[in-house]
Amino acid sequence: MTVERVLNLLLIRFGLIVGGLVVLALLVFAVALVLKRRGKLGAARRYAAPAAHAVGRCLDDRGAARGRGGVARGGGSVAGAVVRAAARRLDDDGRGQRQREREPGRGEVR
């Protein structure tokens, strides 16, 4: 195999990965847009936030166990840092404030 052929294969692989990520991002955007138009984005955020926190912790633990890091705050993986940022964004109510849950049957904020 020549060097040119190897580089072409690597370029094609990179293009396919980037193309897949772009399609995934467009799909997530479309789903978020549909949820927003139907008024169910808040409910979806409440369901997605705990899952994003759990995935972030899992990625951080896995990255720390492998000895990879370089990220501030405990040396977790880069993917863990990205998911943590997404989880923080999901916790915001759109105005930069954390959402508060009310206990059922009471008017108090816990």
Side-chain angles (χ1 to χ4, degrees), residues 95-109:
R95 294 177 299 227
Q97 299 176 2
R98 308 272 277 170
Q99 291 178 347
R100 295 184 180 170
E101 296 179 17
R102 295 187 181 271
E103 289 186 24
R106 297 185 181 177
E108 316 176 335
V109 176

Side-chain angles (χ1 to χ4, degrees), residues 34-106:
V34 168
L35 286 173
K36 185 174 183 178
R37 285 186 178 182
R38 291 186 181 175
K40 298 183 180 186
L41 187 60
R45 287 177 113 180
R46 283 191 297 274
Y47 285 118
H53 285 291
V55 169
R57 281 192 303 271
C58 178
L59 288 172
D60 281 343
D61 293 344
R62 192 175 75 181
R66 290 183 178 174
R68 295 181 184 167
V71 177
R73 288 213 250 155
S77 67
V78 173
V82 169
V83 173
R84 253 194 332 274
R88 277 194 308 272
R89 177 71 175 111
L90 286 171
D91 281 343
D92 289 345
D93 65 355
R95 294 177 299 227
Q97 299 176 2
R98 308 272 277 170
Q99 291 178 347
R100 295 184 180 170
E101 296 179 17
R102 295 187 181 271
E103 289 186 24
R106 297 185 181 177

